């Protein structure tokens, strides 16, 4: 599939070769035939085979030199070398055109959970409402989150089962498995019916609506999951995860690579998002975003960055199913391949197999190096071809030099392309 996604330079060279080949073939024939005819007419001598021999030799030399193998082979080989070199590092790039795009990266926009942070969420605080006991809140949270595959829901479920004990936990799991009325809204939360009453878990907006957060929950730091039962507030669970060890270095390397703008998009609260963004020294953090709002924010950033230069590329890095729309919309979408969802990996243009954010600057640097090699191959091939074609037409060089201009330059370009795999 990657080979089918040709870069612009590859398509241009292929199109050029279709025009170039018949032109130089006809030129070689004309070089062998026209000069001896014209010279014979001007000198007034009889036409003979001897007059054609040196010019046929020049035409053959011209034809050998003009063979387009060097640039037709070396350009795609340069890109394939780049794809292979990136794959050896654990960076799967889905096409040569994305190498071109990565090389022009101007800004990188990140998801938070699982991308810059470990994604291994743990429950830090449980704050029940005044009329709810701690054990009741454990039970309600476990029942609400049982069917959800979201990392926050799974962290809460694990925590509640540990607190409730094996016997109580098994009974709750059996009861939760029998729940039939269950809905989940991406980026917001879940709703279900338990003993005839509505049970909800999720963001403050989803669970509480316009009602203000209780003071104890409002001042807490972390990702907050609110619980309501029967239409009344039942409590709040505070979760958090830690920054990946490689994230800080990845940000520094992106800055060193000349990436001009770095922002984080997250569905978490403003306080939590800004704490991570400040620790990593990002330019900005946009918090409390639903999946469609992430797309809108990314489009706004992209439009702003491309005002000065339409060729600037905005990259998005994410891992969850809620990141798939932004990954598909981005100039280049990069997904975490280890913990990433199938939807995110499918929508992405680049996949990082070991979830290491340091591979992001490496992918950009590798793409720029590959582009440099491709341009070297193009310049080398054309410069040598033009110089030797002129020499062949005027009879300055012979067949041995023509063979070098064809096979020798092609081999040099191939060897240069192999550098992209290192």
């Amino acid at each position: 599939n990657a080979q089918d996604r040709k870069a612009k330079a590859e398509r241009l060279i292929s199109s050029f070769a279709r025009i170039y080949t018949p032109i130089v073939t006809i030129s070689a024939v004309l070089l062998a035939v026209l000069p001896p005819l014209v010279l014979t007419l001007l000198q007034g001598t009889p036409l003979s085979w001897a007059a054609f021999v040196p010019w046929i030799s020049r035409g053959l030399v011209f034809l050998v030199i003009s063979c387009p193998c060097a640039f037709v082979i070396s350009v795609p080989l340069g890109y394939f070398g780049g794809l292979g070199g990136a794959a050896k590092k654990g960076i799967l790039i889905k096409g040569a055109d994305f190498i071109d795009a990565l090389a022009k990266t101007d800004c990188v926009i990140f998801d938070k959970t699982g991308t810059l942070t470990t994604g291994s969420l743990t429950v830090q605080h449980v704050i029940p409402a005044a009329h709810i006991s701690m054990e009741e809140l454990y039970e309600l949270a476990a029942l609400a989150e049982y069917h959800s595959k979201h990392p926050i829901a799974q962290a809460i479920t694990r925590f509640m089962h540990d607190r409730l004990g094996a016997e109580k936990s098994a009974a709750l799991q059996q009861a939760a498995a029998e729940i039939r009325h269950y809905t989940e809204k991406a980026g917001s939360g879940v709703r279900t019916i338990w003993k005839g009453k509505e049970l909800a878990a999720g963001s403050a907006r989803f669970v509480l609506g316009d009602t203000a957060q209780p003071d104890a929950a409002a001042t807490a730091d972390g990702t907050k999951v609110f619980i309501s039962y029967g239409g009344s507030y039942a409590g709040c669970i505070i979760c958090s995860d830690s920054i990946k060890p490689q994230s800080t270095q990845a940000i520094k390397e992106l800055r060193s690579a000349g990436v001009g703008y770095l922002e984080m998009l997250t569905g978490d609260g403003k306080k939590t998002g800004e704490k991570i963004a400040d620790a990593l020294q990002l330019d900005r953090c946009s918090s409390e975003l639903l999946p469609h709002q992430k797309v809108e924010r990314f489009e706004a950033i992209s439009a702003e960055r491309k005002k000065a230069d339409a060729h600037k590329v905005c990259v998005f890095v994410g891992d969850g199913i809620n990141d798939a729309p932004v990954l598909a919309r981005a100039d280049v979408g990069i997904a975490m391949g280890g913990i990433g969802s199938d939807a995110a990996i499918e929508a992405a243009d680049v996949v990082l197999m070991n979830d290491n954010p340091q591979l992001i600057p490496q992918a950009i640097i590798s793409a720029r190096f590959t582009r440099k090699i491709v341009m070297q191959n193009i310049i080398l091939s054309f410069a040598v071809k033009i110089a030797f074609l002129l020499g062949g037409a005027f009879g300055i060089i012979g067949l041995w030099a023509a063979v070098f201009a064809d096979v020798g330059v092609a081999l040099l370009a191939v060897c240069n392309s192999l550098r992209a795999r290192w």
Side-chain angles (χ1 to χ4, degrees), residues 11-21 71 382:
R11 294 193 295 269
L12 183 63
I13 289 295
S14 297
S15 301
F16 174 77
R18 284 196 292 268
I19 300 169
Y20 169 85
T21 303
F71 49 82
F382 274 98

Side-chain angles (χ1 to χ4, degrees), residues 335-388:
M336 297 294 169
I339 63 172
S341 69
D342 291 344
I345 293 169
E346 181 67 26
D349 308 309
V350 179
V351 180
L352 308 182
M353 295 309 297
N354 62 4
D355 300 336
N356 182 356
Q358 276 187 271
L359 291 180
I360 301 166
Q362 287 187 32
I364 294 171
I365 293 167
S366 177
R368 290 174 179 171
F369 183 59
T370 300
R371 280 281 300 167
K372 182 179 177 181
I373 286 174
V374 169
M375 293 308 298
Q376 287 173 351
N377 286 346
I378 292 173
I379 293 169
L380 171 69
S381 301
F382 274 98
V384 172
K385 290 288 182 187
I386 291 170
F388 276 64

Side-chain angles (χ1 to χ4, degrees), residues 246-326:
Q246 308 95 334
S247 293
T248 302
Q249 187 61 30
I251 299 302
K252 289 180 181 178
E253 290 177 9
L254 285 169
R255 298 283 191 197
S256 300
V259 177
Y261 185 76
L262 302 171
E263 182 171 332
M264 185 175 75
L265 309 182
T266 178
D268 290 346
K270 185 175 180 181
K271 196 173 179 181
T272 303
E274 288 182 348
K275 182 181 178 181
I276 300 293
D278 290 342
L280 293 172
Q281 298 183 345
L282 301 178
D283 295 305
R284 179 174 171 176
C285 172
S286 297
S287 307
E288 300 178 0
L289 299 178
L290 296 173
H292 71 278
Q293 292 172 323
K294 284 187 176 183
V295 177
E296 292 168 2
R297 177 60 190 152
F298 181 87
E299 288 178 338
I301 298 167
S302 180
E304 181 66 28
R305 300 299 298 179
K306 291 183 179 183
K307 276 184 180 178
D309 184 357
H311 294 97
K312 287 182 177 180
V313 169
C314 290
V315 173
F316 180 79
V317 189
D319 69 296
I321 191 170
N322 59 330
D323 297 321
V326 203

